[in-house]
Amino acid sequence: MSKLDFLKEELESLQETGLFNPIRTIDGPQGAYFTVDGRRMLNLCSNNYLGFANLPELREAAHRAIDVYGVGPGAVRSISGTQRIHIELEEKLAEFKHAEACIVLQAGFTANLAVIPTITGDGDIIFSDELNHASIIDGCRLSKARVVRYAHNNVDDLRAKLQAEKANARRMLIVTDGVFSMDGDIAPLPAIVDVADEFGAMVMVDDAHGEGVLGKSGRGIVNHFGLEDRVDIEVGTLSKAFGVMGGYVTGSKTLIDYLKQRGRPFLFSTGLTPADTAAAIAAVDVLLKSDERVVKLWDNAAYFRKGLNEAGFDTGKTETPITPVMLGDEKLASEFSKELYARGIFASAIKYPTVARGKARIRCMLSAAHEKADLDFAVATFVEVGKMLGVLK
Ligand SMILES: *Cc1c(COP(=O)(O)O)cnc(C)c1O
């Protein structure tokens, strides 16, 4: 009898209800292909949009930084752990995002925890899209502000809620994902900033899946819509298209100065390693030099989606390289993913509770690392499995 036996029961119940998620082990680097549990598989499920996770320029920058700075920063950044390359990365990201200033944190997740509870509190109201990422939800939970959820990407609902609540609020913050990771749809940011201005609310966008994907050379959703002067706070990750690890916030110098004084993950958790920091700098440099990889990513996504649609698959409402293959039934999605795996394709089934019941799908993540031949193989395999399981005629 152990005090933790209740967790064993919880785990068993996950097993019984099919919600237990077995975690696979990868050998070697991320790329178009990778080795999963010892087998070479086509990789359709990483966020390595631009193939940066194993790019020679980034690897070399990381090696050099270790030679100069060692492997760890030694302390939280506010005491003695801010290295010159941290400042260099922040200046580079601010320039890249056309923002006044930037603060780099350990992860995109932490960036949301650093900003939301720090700039909102008692008497404030946060308006949050109902499909926002878990780290936004947790950031809101850490705040003493009240949270009002609005219907997904629904600006009419947002406006009605702002109208109903404005008399009760000291300050108001609207927060949304830029690109929603399960459907690949984009937040209606121009309309959001319009209603925000109408009600004097601050706007924050978490662009984890838009970074390196949308906008000029992958500058993100704010640049995509040309809203640089109208979005107050941008959160980004260095762990998806940038291929490394880390998160950041960009905005006015006042915002960033304040986060460096009061953001708890900044003050109480050690910053990025020299290797991660230098690799992230190299990622931005690659993007500043050329948009070739961003263009290839979009080409690949269009090619793949066309192949799937022509074969009769429904790819939902995606507007980005996130490509869901909508199947509906939970068990069908699991079986589909298993059959793909047996044929050398690693693409995950996404089911309830991650998405609504009856909206199960295989989510394919495209990358500039893929070649057309890889995508031809993927489409042919989807068709074969789709016919076998009765999804296609
Ligand atoms: C992935 C993701 C994060 C977390 O980023 P990490 O750098 O992996 O911690 C935060 N927000 C959104 C919207 C994401 O998709």
Side-chain angles (χ1 to χ4, degrees):
M1 177 69 188
S2 145
K3 288 175 190 162
L4 296 181
D5 277 351
F6 72 100
L7 295 179
K8 221 166 103 193
E9 285 163 27
E10 291 290 337
L11 280 169
E12 280 161 9
S13 126
L14 290 178
Q15 295 274 16
E16 280 158 20
T17 49
L19 293 176
F20 184 85
N21 179 20
I23 300 173
R24 305 214 183 251
T25 306
I26 310 298
D27 288 300
Q30 290 282 333
Y33 290 82
F34 60 174
T35 305
V36 187
D37 291 338
R39 273 185 65 201
R40 183 172 183 269
M41 310 285 292
L42 178 65
N43 181 352
L44 283 182
C45 55
S46 89
N47 301 316
N48 182 23
Y49 287 110
L50 300 175
F52 279 0
N54 191 36
L55 200 72
E57 287 94 321
L58 273 70
R59 292 168 55 121
E60 282 154 22
H63 283 299
R64 279 198 305 274
I66 289 174
D67 290 340
V68 175
Y69 289 97
V71 293
V76 298
R77 288 191 48 195
S78 54
I79 295 182
S80 65
T82 291
Q83 295 171 316
R84 190 157 301 284
I85 43 174
H86 289 127
I87 303 298
E88 196 187 317
L89 174 57
E90 287 172 342
E91 286 172 351
K92 188 145 285 200
L93 285 168
E95 176 200 335
F96 182 67
K97 302 292 280 190
H98 301 150
E100 242 176 65
C102 172
I103 178 175
V104 167
L105 294 127
Q106 305 84 351
F109 201 107
T110 341
N112 280 321
L113 302 191
V115 65
I116 300 171
T118 307
I119 63 160
T120 60
D122 219 2
D124 298 335
I125 302 181
I126 303 170
F127 298 83
S128 177
D129 187 290
E130 64 180 344
L131 295 189
N132 274 344
H133 188 260
S135 55
I136 295 180
I137 296 170
D138 286 9
C140 293
R141 281 183 184 152
L142 288 173
S143 168
K144 294 203 171 72
R146 192 153 60 83
V147 181
V148 172
R149 298 197 328 158
Y150 62 89
H152 174 55
N153 278 352
N154 186 331
V155 181
D156 292 334
D157 188 47
L158 171 60
R159 171 184 280 109
K161 287 187 166 143
L162 284 160
Q163 181 70 46
E165 299 286 353
K166 69 174 182 196
N168 309 321
R170 179 180 65 167
R171 282 185 287 270
M172 301 191 285
L173 169 70
I174 301 167
V175 55
T176 182
D177 278 24
V179 173
F180 289 83
S181 61
M182 294 304 151
D183 287 299
D185 53 337
I186 300 178
L189 212 50
I192 289 176
V193 298
D194 282 347
V195 289
D197 285 353
E198 196 182 320
F199 289 92
M202 302 175 278
V203 176
M204 164 172 162
V205 59
D206 174 349
D207 203 21
H209 282 277
E211 219 83 63
V213 176
L214 295 172
K216 185 164 176 286
S217 275
R219 281 175 170 75
I221 188 172
V222 173
N223 177 263
H224 170 76
F225 286 122
L227 296 172
E228 270 92 349
D229 300 328
R230 300 188 61 201
V231 170
D232 303 285
I233 303 150
E234 254 191 280
V235 166
T237 175
L238 302 168
S239 339
K240 289 181 173 132
F242 283 80
V244 194
M245 179 78 223
Y248 63 96
V249 183
T250 53
S252 69
K253 184 167 179 308
T254 307
L255 169 72
I256 303 307
D257 284 349
Y258 189 71
L259 293 178
K260 287 188 172 176
Q261 298 303 314
R262 284 289 177 269
R264 290 166 70 84
F266 182 81
L267 298 176
F268 297 104
S269 180
T270 301
L272 282 192
T273 69
D276 290 327
T277 310
I281 293 171
V284 184
D285 282 336
V286 171
L287 286 173
L288 286 171
K289 227 182 286 163
S290 156
D291 67 353
E292 186 189 327
R293 284 172 174 273
V294 180
V295 171
K296 186 171 174 199
L297 167 68
W298 283 91
D299 272 359
N300 279 349
Y303 184 79
F304 183 59
R305 201 190 318 167
K306 184 161 173 275
L308 289 174
N309 291 154
E310 281 175 2
F313 285 108
D314 171 10
T315 53
K317 53 183 178 179
T318 183
E319 304 167 73
T320 62
I322 296 171
T323 311
V325 177
M326 306 303 289
L327 296 170
D329 183 65
E330 274 73 30
K331 256 178 66 196
L332 173 63
S334 298
E335 229 171 295
F336 207 108
S337 172
K338 225 181 278 165
E339 293 297 336
L340 290 173
Y341 192 84
R343 289 164 178 76
I345 295 180
F346 193 28
S348 19
I350 311 267
K351 296 172 287 190
Y352 178 82
T354 306
V355 294
R357 241 184 246 284
K359 296 263 183 198
R361 70 210 53 192
I362 304 288
R363 187 183 61 160
C364 302
M365 303 300 280
L366 276 286
S367 170
H370 293 127
E371 299 302 335
K372 292 273 157 53
D374 304 328
L375 304 176
D376 290 340
F377 162 63
V379 171
T381 309
F382 267 84
V383 170
E384 183 190 329
V385 174
K387 284 185 176 154
M388 192 182 92
L389 297 179
V391 179
L392 298 180
K393 300 263 152 36

